[in-house]
């Protein structure tokens, strides 16, 4: 019998074009205990509409998060694609 890994919930808010791919409102995502920002980016890139090489920033508590930052339960994470315009 395989042991199940403990999970917790975070909130995701997609920004820019990622709203079209992931949804426009904040939503809950279950992540495994000990998951970091790198896990979250891999989850985003599993969506077939998101280009695997797209540069994506993750922001929590008004701070850009590096890949090694551990996700915190019940926190809101903004998923931000590159911005362009004119």
């Amino acid at each position: 019998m395989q042991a199940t890994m403990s999970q917790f919930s975070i909130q995701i808010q997609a920004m820019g074009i990622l709203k079209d791919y992931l949804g426009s409102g904040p939503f809950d995502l279950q992540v495994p205990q000990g998951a970091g920002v790198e896990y979250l980016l891999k989850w985003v890139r599993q969506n077939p509409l998101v280009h695997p090489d797209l540069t994506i920033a993750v922001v929590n508590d008004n701070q850009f998060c590096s890949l090694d930052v551990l996700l915190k339960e019940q926190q809101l994470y903004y998923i931000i694609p590159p911005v362009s315009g004119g």
Side-chain angles (χ1 to χ4, degrees), residues 3-74:
T4 58
M5 184 178 271
S6 166
Q7 294 189 329
F8 62 93
S9 181
I10 61 171
Q11 281 196 312
I12 302 296
Q13 172 67 61
M15 305 300 287
I17 191 69
L18 291 176
K19 285 183 178 182
D20 293 342
Y21 306 152
L22 303 174
S24 61
F27 61 92
D28 290 336
L29 178 68
Q30 294 292 313
V31 298
Q33 202 71 31
V37 169
E38 186 171 16
Y39 175 90
L40 181 55
L41 292 176
K42 286 179 183 179
W43 178 85
V44 170
R45 290 187 175 110
Q46 286 178 357
N47 184 306
L49 298 174
V50 177
H51 191 282
D53 294 331
L54 181 66
T55 300
I56 300 170
V58 176
V59 173
N60 171 254
D61 200 23
N62 295 320
Q63 298 283 326
F64 284 94
C65 300
S66 62
L67 292 177
D68 61 344
V69 169
L70 293 179
L71 300 172
K72 297 177 189 166
E73 189 169 6
Q74 297 300 318

